[in-house]
Each structure stands twice: as C-alpha cells, then as structure tokens.
Amino acid sequence: RVVPVGAACVPAPLCVAAPAHPLTASSLTSLAAILRRLDRLAEAELAALAGLAIRQEAYGFRNPTTASSLEALAAIRADRGDAKSARDLLEKAVAIRTRSSTAAHPRTADAIEQLANLEPRDNAEPIAVARELAPLLERALRIRATALGEDHPKTDAISRLLADTLRKAGDEAKA
C-alpha cells in the first residue's frame, strides 16, 4: 500500500500521510539514508524521492537543500547500479551548489567527490573521463583545504583521488 506524501509516494509501512513540509522532507531523507544502509534500496529510493519532491516544492530547483536531496537520491541510484541516473543527479547538485552561496562549502566538495567515484560512462574513454574530472577534483581539493585544512582526512582523500585521476589522464607530472 502506498500513502501519498507531497508530490511523491512512500510505502505505508515507512510513514503515515504527512504534510508537504520541509521538516517532513528532512525526515524522509534521513529515513532514506537508514534504509540505504540496511540495503533496502527500493524503499530508500521512494523515501528519497518523496523528500526531494517536498524540498523542490518548498525551496525550488536551485536551492542547496534541494541539492542535498539530489545527492542522497544519487547515492541510492548508484547503489542500485544506475550510474547514469546517479551521474545526472550529481551533475545537477554540483551545478546548484556552484551557482549558490555554498560554492566554496565542503558539501560542494563532497558532491564532486561522489561524482568522481561513480562508474565511468558507457563507452567513455578512461583518459577523457579523467581529463573531465580533474578540474572538478582540483576545485574540490581547494575547497576542502580552505575549509578543513591541508591535514584533514577528507582533504587527503580528495588529494589521493585527484592524483589517481591525473595519472589516468596521463598527467604524471601534476599527480
């Protein structure tokens, strides 16, 4: 049985009919994360979609809060093996964050890292993919170094990912 929640639907066991309120969206996004960890991906996707629909209604399509919902849904889709959909969602999230006041926020770097860790596009040349990702990862590294410091584990993780990407792009000198 499915209960309408805002503009989307969630299976009845997951929640009761709830108003299309931003706090409901936050709860649904949290629920989606829990269900994802439990490997209940179909239910997680429904909860994430419901949360996204409410946030889009409440905040619009270009808000960093909406970007967070896109990122959550992208992680679920990636886990379900739908890298193309995950990539599309993450590209939208990165674009939203880039155009907003959160462009230099660590969450922007997180979205870029999530995008870089996806499976390559079908029939994509690894060198071309790496060359496309390198500038994004360089930006993510600058964001993390500024916000968190050079010695932070998340800064180090992005630095290693960038070095690997630069090697794949054939730029051993910059790696």
Side-chain angles (χ1 to χ4, degrees), residues 38-122:
L38 294 172
D39 203 33
R40 292 170 54 183
L41 299 177
E43 295 164 292
E45 184 169 350
L46 289 172
L49 282 167
L52 174 61
I54 294 169
R55 283 183 169 166
Q56 285 177 330
E57 179 82 18
Y59 301 116
F61 294 95
R62 294 188 177 127
N63 187 286
T65 305
T66 302
S68 294
S69 290
L70 291 169
E71 294 158 11
L73 181 58
I76 295 163
R77 295 246 172 107
D79 287 352
R80 293 189 86 181
D82 190 353
K84 181 186 180 328
S85 176
R87 182 175 295 101
D88 292 343
L89 292 165
L90 287 170
E91 287 172 350
K92 288 177 188 173
V94 169
I96 290 167
R97 291 191 182 282
T98 299
R99 288 189 304 260
S100 74
S101 61
T102 62
H105 192 278
R107 292 291 303 268
T108 303
D110 293 344
I112 292 169
E113 182 179 22
Q114 194 178 352
L115 180 61
N117 281 319
L118 284 175
E119 291 292 317
R121 290 179 182 85
D122 292 336

